[in-house]
Amino acid sequence: MHETRWMRKIQVPIIWTIAILFAAGVIWWSVATYMSGKSRETGSTTPTNSARPEDAFAYLTKDGTPLEDPIYWISYSEYDDTVRDVLSSLSQRNIQLDPYFKGSAGMSEIDVRYMVLLDLIDQKITHILRKEAQHLSNRR
């Protein structure tokens, strides 16, 4: 009988403690998400020299080694800006995409994001090939 009263007595403080910790966790997570997005937005489309290839959204490798020149990296902001531009363009043409499943347009938002990534990679590879061709023509 005494145990039941004791359990009921501590029940409310335990519930309030859990609720407060949950709310604090949600607030902390929201602030951390906001701050990480803010730092990504302030960066340029080309990562700085102090960054590493691993910090980029994607990077090119040559013989399995990441290329150190940031021009061959795809930054998060570059990818996000390009995806946003493409989705905006499709929206202006009244093409509505489902985020996950192929719809009447024959593609989903995931397909568009994948195609944007492939296009950005192709642009970086074209840049490498152009640079190497220019280097070879200068040697002649």
Side-chain angles (χ1 to χ4, degrees):
M1 187 84 157
H2 181 65
E3 278 184 31
T4 307
R5 268 191 246 149
W6 181 77
M7 287 296 285
R8 288 186 187 260
K9 190 176 183 180
I10 66 165
Q11 181 179 6
V12 172
I14 288 176
I15 290 172
W16 274 106
T17 303
I18 291 171
I20 289 170
L21 289 174
F22 176 76
V26 169
I27 291 169
W28 176 78
W29 175 72
S30 299
V31 169
T33 303
Y34 174 77
M35 296 301 285
S36 69
K38 199 68 157 163
S39 66
R40 212 177 270 154
E41 287 174 9
T42 57
S44 64
T45 56
T46 304
T48 60
N49 288 335
S50 62
R52 301 172 311 182
E54 295 81 18
D55 297 333
F57 183 78
Y59 56 88
L60 298 180
T61 62
K62 189 172 186 179
D63 298 327
T65 305
L67 297 173
E68 291 298 322
D69 192 352
I71 213 163
Y72 304 121
W73 305 349
I74 299 171
S75 67
Y76 286 95
S77 60
E78 180 180 12
Y79 175 74
D80 286 339
D81 292 345
T82 307
V83 167
R84 194 176 311 114
D85 290 345
V86 169
L87 292 176
S88 173
S89 174
L90 291 172
S91 177
Q92 288 175 355
R93 296 179 193 164
N94 291 326
I95 299 174
Q96 301 301 322
L97 298 175
D98 185 273
Y100 306 106
F101 304 106
K102 292 182 180 184
S104 59
M107 63 176 63
S108 67
E109 190 175 317
I110 292 176
D111 295 330
V112 170
R113 290 178 177 277
Y114 179 67
M115 286 188 277
V116 165
L117 179 61
L118 291 179
D119 185 55
L120 287 172
I121 290 171
D122 287 344
Q123 289 176 18
K124 301 296 179 178
I125 291 172
T126 304
H127 187 69
I128 288 175
L129 295 175
R130 198 176 328 128
K131 198 172 183 181
E132 286 182 2
Q134 185 180 26
H135 179 69
L136 288 175
S137 67
N138 289 342
R139 289 176 69 186
R140 290 183 185 173

